[in-house]
Amino acid sequence: MAKTATKRRETDQWGETLACLAALERKVLWLAAWTIHNANHLRPSRDGLKVGGHQASCASLVTIMTALYFHVLRPEDRVAVKPHASPVFHAIQYLMGRQSREAIERFRALGGAQSYPSRTKDADDVDFSTGSVGLGGAATLFASLVQDYLRLHDLGPANEGRMVALFGDAEIDEGNVFEALYEGWKHEVRNLWWVIDYNRQSLDSIVTDRLYGRIGKMFEAVDWPVVTLKYGKRLEAAFARPGGEALKDWIDRCPNSLYSALTFKGGPGWRRHLKRDLGGVSGVRALLDSHDDEALQALMTNLAGHDIESLLEAFAEAEGDDRPRCFLAYTIKGFGLPIAGHKDNHAGLMSVAQMATFKAANGIADGAEWDPFAGLDIAPERLRAFLARVPFAARGPRTAPADPVPVPERLAWRAARAMSTQEAFGRLLHELGGGDSALAKRIVTTSPDVAVSTNLGPWINRRGIFARREHEDTFRAEEVVSAQRWAMSKRGQHIELGIAENNLFLMLAALGLAEPLFGTRLIPIGTVYDPFIQRGLDALNYACYQDARFILVATPSGISLAPEGGAHQSIGTPLIGITQDGLAAFEPAFADELATILAWAFAYLQRHGGPAHPGDWLRDAGGGSVYLRLSTRSIDQPERSIDEPLRDAVLAGGYWLRPPGAGARLALVYTGTVAPETIEAHRQLLEDAPDAGLLAVTSADRLNAGWHAAERARQAGDRGALSHVERLLAPLAPDAALVTVIDGHPATLAWLGAVRGHRVAPLGVEHFGQSGDLPDLYRVYRLDVDAILDAAAALSLAGLGS
Ligand SMILES: Cc1ncc(C[n+]2csc(CCOP(=O)(O)OP(=O)(O)O)c2C)c(N)n1
Ligand SMILES: [Mg+2]
C-alpha cells in the first residue's frame, strides 16, 4: 500500500514537473522573442540603426535550455550558451529572479542585457562569455581540465560540477573546436557535455546534408559517446502506427533544405508532399487524415530537441558517469514562431503583425508582456513553488570570491653580467620553483610545445608536468643524460599542450577564471613565441574580454631572434600590447626590470575589477592580465639596485636612464632589446648634445594608457591630472626632437610626439622575413647605432631650420 502511495506521489510530482517545464518553455520562448521585439520595434530608436537579435536562433534552444536550467543543472555546473541565445539565457535568469526586468527591457542598450552573454558586462550569472563562435564552447573543455587540476592538487572545488556547452551546429566548423577536442582527448577530459543545437542552419543558409555523419564521427574519434536526439515522443508514437515506418524513412531521407522549407510552409505543405510520396503506403492516408493542418505541423516538427521528455531522459541517462558527451539534438531554427525553418531567418525578425498574433496565441494581455506568469495554464503559485525548488538556483549565489595568494615585494634570481630577458625569466621561475611559497604552489605554467625553448625548463624540472597518471621520465630511468626532466604526475604544475595557440589562450582563459568558476585563485603563466600570438589572437581577446587573469610570456620576439628565421619574426605584437583591452604589455630590456614587473604582475592579476572612472587608471586601480615581450638576445646588465621610485617608474612604463638637461633639445627613446644600440648612440651624441636624454620605455602600453586616462580625467574636470609620460617629457624643450627605437613596429613609440608636440623620428621594423645575424639585420632594418645617429642628426638639422 505504502509503496503504491509513494509511487503515486512520485508520478504526481513528475507530472507536476513536466507541466511546469512545459509552461516555462512557453514563457521562455515568449520572453526571449518579446525582448528582441521590444528592443527593435518598441524602444525608441535615436540613431535609426537596426538593433537586431536572433529570434529564430533563440527559439531553437528554448526547450533544451528549459530542461537544463529548470531541472538538470546543479549550482556547481558551468555553462557556455550559444551567443545568439542570449535572450533565452536572460529570460531564464529573469524567471529565476536573477535578472532585472529593466535589463531585459534594455536588451542591447547601454547597461542593459548584453547581445551575447557576457561575464563582465551582464549583471546576471554568466559563466562563460560567448560571441566569437566556437570559443565559448571550447572554453568549457579547458575549464573542465582546470577543475580536475584543482581537485588533484587539493585546491577544491567542494562540489565537482559539469561543464556544459550549448553549441550552434555551425559553430562546429571553427577549427578551434577540433583543436580543443584533440587536446581534451590527450588530457582525458571528463565532466563535459556538449549539446549541439542541430537545426541544420547557419547564418547564410542550410548546412549540407552529409554533415550529420561527420559530426558524430568527429566525436567518436575522441571517444566521446554521441547521443543522437532526433525524434520526439509524438513522432515516435506515429512511427509505431501503420505506415509509420515509411514516414520515418521519408523524414530520414528528407534533405535538410526541403525539411526546413516545409516547416516554414506548415501543414498543407507536409500534406501535399507526404500524399505524393507515400499516398500509396498502407496506413499513411489514415495517419494524415487523423491530423488537421496544425496537428500535422506539430507532428512533423516534433524533433527531440523540442521534446522536453526526450531531453530529460537523455540527460538523466548520461548522468550516470563522468565521460564527456556530445548530444546531437535535432531542432528547428525558429521553432514555434512564424519564421520557423526559413533559410533567411537567422537575423530575421517577426513583424509587428506576426508578433500581435503570437502574443494573442500566448494569451498575453496588453501591459502583461513582462509578467512571468501571464497567459499560462498553470496557476502562478504552482509555478512559483516549482521555481523555488529548481536545483540550479537552490543554494543562493553560485560563486564566492577567494582569498588572495600572497606575493613577495621582490623576487630573487641569480644575476649575471650579461643575459637576455628570456634567460632572466627562466631564472626567476627556477628560483620560485625551488621554494615552498604559497605563490609557487598556485603558479601553473602552460605552453603549446614550446616550454623548453621559452625557458620554462628549469621550472618544469622542479615542479613537474601535470598528468592524471604518473609517468616516470623514461630518459632519466634509462640514464640518458638530458638537461630536461619530463616527469609527469597529478601534482605537476606545468600543463603541456600540443602546438595549437588557440588552445593556449583558451587554457589561459580557463586557468585565469579559476576563482570565479571554482573558488580558487591560480597564477597562470603561458609561454609562446611572440609571432604566434597572432595565431591565437581571437582566443586571447576572448580571454581578456572575460576578464580571465594570466601572464603571457612571449619569446623570442622581433627581428632580434635573428638567425632563427624570418618567418618567426614579429613586428605588430607591441601594437597588440597597446590595443588589447585587459592586457598590460611590457617589454623590459634588463633582468632587474623583468623581476620588478613579474613581482608586480603576480599581484596585478589578482586585483578585482577594472577602472570604472576615467581617473582610476591614473591611480592604477583595477587589475588585469600581463603580456611580457621578451628576447633571446643577451645584453650587458646595469649594476644597480631598483629603489622605490625606479620601481614605480618601471611599472608606469618608463624612466630616464640618463635624464635630459633642463630644456634639452634631443632625447633618445628605446624599448627592449635595442637598448645597447641606443645607449651607445647616446654616448656618442653627448659630445655634441651634452644634455640629451636617454629614455627607457618598459611599457609603451602603460605610458599610452596613462596618457589617455589623464586626458579623459582632465576632460571630466580634474584639471590637475597628469600622466607619467607627460611628467617624463616635461623637462624637454618644447621643440625637442625624439628618436624612438624598438624592435617592432615604429608606431609603438611614434605617438610620443603627440604628448607634448615634440618632433619624432620613429625607428622600427615595418617589413620582415629576412634571416641574418644581428649586425646585418640591425643595419638593414636601420636599428643600429649609425641609424640612430643619422636620425638624430636629421631631426636636429630640421629643427635648426625651423
Ligand atoms: C568567429 C565568428 N564568426 C562569425 C560570426 C557571425 N555569426 C554569428 S552566428 C553565425 C552562424 C551560427 O550558426 P549556428 O551556430 O548554427 O547557430 P544557429 O543560429 O543556427 O543556432 C555566424 C556566422 C561570429 N559570431 N563569430
Ligand atoms: Mg544552426
Side-chain angles (χ1 to χ4, degrees):
M1 254 325 256
K3 221 172 174 181
T4 337
T6 318
K7 192 106 201 119
R8 187 161 346 109
R9 251 198 324 272
E10 276 172 11
T11 320
D12 287 352
Q13 217 171 46
W14 186 237
E16 177 67 2
T17 299
L18 290 179
C20 288
L21 288 175
L24 287 167
E25 181 190 2
R26 279 183 66 198
K27 183 51 75 181
V28 170
L29 175 61
W30 161 257
L31 283 173
W34 181 254
T35 297
I36 298 168
H37 186 80
N38 176 67
N40 284 276
H41 293 295
L42 302 180
R43 205 168 61 213
S45 165
R46 292 184 302 177
D47 51 17
L49 285 180
K50 173 188 159 180
V51 179
H54 304 84
Q55 287 171 329
S57 300
C58 284
S60 194
L61 257 186
V62 162
T63 323
I64 292 169
M65 287 177 69
T66 302
L68 284 170
Y69 278 97
F70 292 111
H71 188 73
V72 179
L73 295 177
R74 300 291 175 266
E76 56 272 20
D77 296 335
R78 300 286 176 263
V79 191
V81 177
K82 172 183 90 168
H84 26 307
S86 162
V88 179
F89 173 80
H90 293 301
I92 289 172
Q93 294 278 317
Y94 174 63
L95 291 170
M96 286 183 178
R98 295 178 172 203
Q99 174 62 293
S100 69
R101 171 171 160 182
E102 194 197 359
I104 49 176
E105 282 194 65
R106 292 186 53 73
F107 174 59
R108 294 188 168 218
L110 188 71
Q114 296 297 296
S115 316
Y116 309 118
S118 169
R119 287 191 54 79
T120 50
K121 305 288 189 288
D122 271 316
D124 49 357
D125 209 4
V126 175
D127 293 327
F128 299 95
S129 302
T130 53
S132 177
V133 298
L135 292 179
T140 58
L141 183 147
F142 291 94
S144 186
L145 293 179
V146 171
Q147 183 177 233
D148 282 346
Y149 178 93
L150 291 171
R151 199 176 47 83
L152 293 169
H153 287 79
D154 299 326
L155 292 170
N159 297 309
E160 198 165 69
R162 186 170 275 120
M163 305 298 115
V164 180
L166 307 176
F167 274 99
D169 54 334
E171 287 193 72
I172 305 292
D173 282 357
E174 286 286 0
N176 82 272
V177 176
F178 297 74
E179 293 175 1
L181 277 177
Y182 197 52
E183 195 63 51
W185 180 86
K186 290 189 228 165
H187 290 275
E188 300 176 57
V189 70
R190 20 171 247 130
N191 287 324
L192 188 61
W193 284 0
W194 281 9
V195 184
I196 300 177
D197 173 1
Y198 193 44
N199 59 28
R200 292 145 290 141
Q201 282 188 247
S202 58
L203 189 155
D204 281 337
S205 192
I206 311 290
V207 306
T208 169
D209 290 298
R210 292 155 57 237
L211 211 53
Y212 153 71
R214 286 303 107 188
I215 294 179
K217 284 209 168 68
M218 189 175 88
F219 284 94
E220 279 157 14
V222 287
D223 295 339
W224 291 34
V226 177
V227 183
T228 303
L229 293 158
K230 190 160 185 186
Y231 300 115
K233 298 281 176 201
R234 233 187 284 187
L235 265 177
E236 296 279 10
F239 296 158
R241 288 175 54 166
E245 232 167 85
L247 179 68
K248 180 167 189 290
D249 184 57
W250 186 91
I251 299 180
D252 281 342
R253 288 161 181 267
C254 185
N256 289 341
S257 47
L258 178 60
Y259 185 87
S260 295
L262 293 180
T263 297
F264 180 71
K265 287 170 78 172
W270 293 114
R271 198 176 301 280
R272 200 164 57 79
H273 275 262
L274 288 170
K275 254 191 194 151
R276 192 191 64 198
D277 297 346
L278 301 179
V281 178
S282 139
V284 169
R285 242 167 222 281
L287 196 142
L288 290 176
D289 290 346
S290 64
H291 289 79
D292 65 14
D293 282 346
E294 205 180 315
L296 187 59
Q297 167 79 344
L299 175 70
M300 294 302 287
T301 57
N302 175 233
L303 300 181
H306 300 300
D307 190 289
I308 213 131
E309 277 196 78
S310 308
L311 289 166
L312 294 179
E313 277 170 22
F315 291 136
E317 214 164 291
E319 270 173 345
D321 61 55
D322 64 5
R323 292 182 69 185
R325 262 189 184 66
C326 165
F327 296 88
L328 192 58
Y330 276 75
T331 53
I332 289 165
K333 194 154 170 169
F335 184 75
L337 305 179
I339 52 178
H342 198 291
K343 73 176 175 58
D344 304 335
N345 67 9
H346 182 79
L349 295 172
M350 285 159 74
S351 67
V352 173
Q354 283 173 325
M355 180 48 88
T357 311
F358 184 62
K359 185 171 156 185
N362 274 279
I364 311 278
D366 284 346
E369 292 87 353
W370 301 107
D371 183 331
F373 306 108
L376 299 177
D377 43 13
I378 278 197
E381 52 274 22
R382 267 172 70 194
L383 214 50
R384 266 197 208 100
F386 177 83
L387 285 168
R389 288 197 308 271
V390 164
F392 185 69
R395 283 211 302 262
R398 293 162 63 236
T399 53
D403 291 337
V405 180
V407 174
E409 273 274 307
R410 283 166 195 277
L411 301 176
W413 89 101
R414 232 161 18 87
R417 209 184 51 75
M419 71 174 131
S420 68
T421 44
Q422 174 172 318
E423 196 182 341
F425 168 68
R427 287 176 185 221
L428 282 158
L429 276 200
H430 181 67
E431 285 296 326
L432 273 168
D436 199 25
S437 63
L439 173 64
K441 283 194 189 127
R442 296 297 179 88
I443 291 176
V444 193
T445 58
T446 183
S447 187
D449 200 24
V450 290
V452 174
S453 50
T454 54
N455 242 18
L456 274 180
W459 161 264
I460 293 174
N461 278 343
R462 290 192 147 162
R463 310 300 285 205
I465 311 264
F466 172 67
R468 256 170 238 281
R469 288 168 234 276
E470 308 276 323
H471 290 286
E472 67 172 345
D473 182 345
T474 313
F475 276 72
R476 203 175 169 79
E478 293 293 330
E479 294 174 9
V480 178
V481 177
S482 162
Q484 187 61 54
R485 286 176 63 180
W486 207 255
M488 298 181 170
S489 82
K490 59 192 169 95
R491 309 300 270 186
Q493 283 182 254
H494 171 77
I495 302 178
E496 179 70 4
L497 301 170
I499 328 167
E501 288 72 19
N502 264 301
N503 282 343
L504 170 73
F505 293 114
L506 288 169
M507 185 84 245
L508 286 173
L511 290 166
L513 290 174
E515 182 185 15
L517 290 179
F518 305 117
T520 305
R521 290 189 185 195
L522 290 174
I523 309 285
I525 302 178
T527 69
V528 67
Y529 291 0
D530 195 55
F532 303 133
I533 285 180
Q534 288 164 152
R535 265 280 181 129
L537 202 47
D538 194 32
L540 168 64
N541 181 52
Y542 172 70
C544 292
Y545 173 60
Q546 300 208 76
D547 201 23
R549 300 295 179 82
F550 54 87
I551 297 171
L552 173 65
V553 176
T555 178
S557 61
I559 59 166
S560 299
L561 52 78
E564 275 215 52
H568 282 14
Q569 295 166 353
S570 61
I571 295 177
T573 46
L575 294 172
I576 292 171
I578 289 182
T579 53
Q580 179 59 58
D581 192 13
L583 193 68
F586 291 86
E587 186 167 352
F590 301 115
D592 57 0
E593 295 168 356
L594 176 64
T596 304
I597 295 162
L598 197 59
W600 170 86
F602 290 142
Y604 180 71
L605 66 84
Q606 295 194 62
R607 284 192 213 159
H608 277 293
H613 177 269
D616 281 357
W617 207 97
L618 287 171
R619 292 192 295 278
D620 208 4
S625 290
V626 176
Y627 159 33
L628 305 174
R629 188 176 190 249
L630 305 185
S631 168
T632 41
R633 183 188 184 199
S634 182
I635 62 174
D636 287 343
Q637 300 294 308
E639 276 186 36
R640 61 181 176 185
S641 69
I642 294 201
D643 58 13
E644 200 64 29
L646 181 54
R647 174 185 176 275
D648 290 348
V650 165
L651 298 175
Y655 61 93
W656 287 108
L657 194 60
R658 307 276 180 274
R665 301 197 64 216
L666 178 67
L668 303 188
V669 185
Y670 73 88
T671 282
T673 192
V674 289
E677 283 67 28
T678 323
I679 292 169
E680 175 55 22
H682 181 261
R683 195 188 62 76
Q684 294 186 24
L685 273 171
L686 285 180
E687 272 176 37
D688 294 331
D691 58 356
L694 175 60
L695 184 64
V697 172
T698 46
S699 171
D701 176 32
R702 303 256 301 165
L703 286 185
N704 185 266
W707 176 47
H708 288 294
E711 190 53 37
R712 276 196 305 275
R714 287 191 289 264
Q715 282 166 11
D718 179 358
R719 291 272 179 89
L722 201 63
S723 64
H724 185 59
V725 69
E726 287 163 323
R727 274 196 210 99
L728 280 173
L729 298 180
L732 299 175
D735 64 344
L738 309 176
V739 178
T740 64
V741 196
I742 183 172
D743 179 1
H745 198 278
T748 312
L749 294 173
W751 61 271
L752 286 171
V755 175
R756 287 195 177 269
H758 294 131
R759 288 166 301 127
V760 179
L763 303 185
V765 184
E766 290 167 277
H767 308 285
F768 79 112
Q770 176 63 56
S771 303
D773 65 6
L774 273 186
D776 273 346
L777 290 184
Y778 278 13
R779 179 172 44 79
V780 170
Y781 289 98
R782 302 205 46 77
L783 289 177
D784 61 3
V785 176
D786 285 346
I788 299 170
L789 291 174
D790 285 352
L795 267 191
S796 299
L797 282 176
L800 286 179
S802 68

